[in-house]
Amino acid sequence: MARKHDLDAEIEQARKAEAEVALSNIRETIAAFGFTPDEVFGARRKSRGAGNSAAPRFRHPETGETWGGRGPRPRWLKGKDPEQFRVGQA
């Protein structure tokens, strides 16, 4: 078991040394060609709902839940007139 532990430690050291060499090569290549992070890793995608959600148009007075008027009507609005929950209504 002690020998196995020693071998595992040697393997881990060798892996780290190889990783350092590989990372050094990658950094040199990036610097030599002037790659940007988007070119190396690909452009970041927006998460599915980020940036395109509607501003809240309706708010539940008790819970504060909101709905932008898109997608399925929330449970708290089913069977009710949504105008009574409109945000900014005086």
Side-chain angles (χ1 to χ4, degrees):
M1 288 305 283
R3 178 72 178 140
K4 181 186 179 312
H5 184 272
D6 292 342
L7 287 174
D8 287 342
E10 284 181 45
I11 290 169
E12 184 61 22
Q13 284 179 334
R15 192 193 67 73
K16 284 182 181 180
E18 284 185 44
E20 286 178 23
V21 170
L23 185 57
S24 176
N25 291 339
I26 291 168
R27 287 181 175 148
E28 288 174 17
T29 304
I30 289 171
F33 289 96
F35 291 129
T36 65
D38 284 346
E39 290 172 324
V40 174
F41 299 107
R44 291 182 135 198
R45 294 184 192 169
K46 289 185 178 180
S47 64
R48 192 160 187 201
N52 63 357
S53 61
R57 290 176 36 202
F58 305 95
R59 182 178 319 274
H60 190 284
E62 295 171 11
T63 65
E65 288 180 86
T66 60
W67 180 54
R70 295 183 181 171
R73 189 176 281 202
R75 240 183 275 141
W76 56 268
L77 258 180
K78 291 203 188 251
K80 298 177 183 168
D81 178 21
E83 291 306 313
Q84 65 185 0
F85 298 101
R86 184 169 290 278
V87 172
Q89 182 181 1

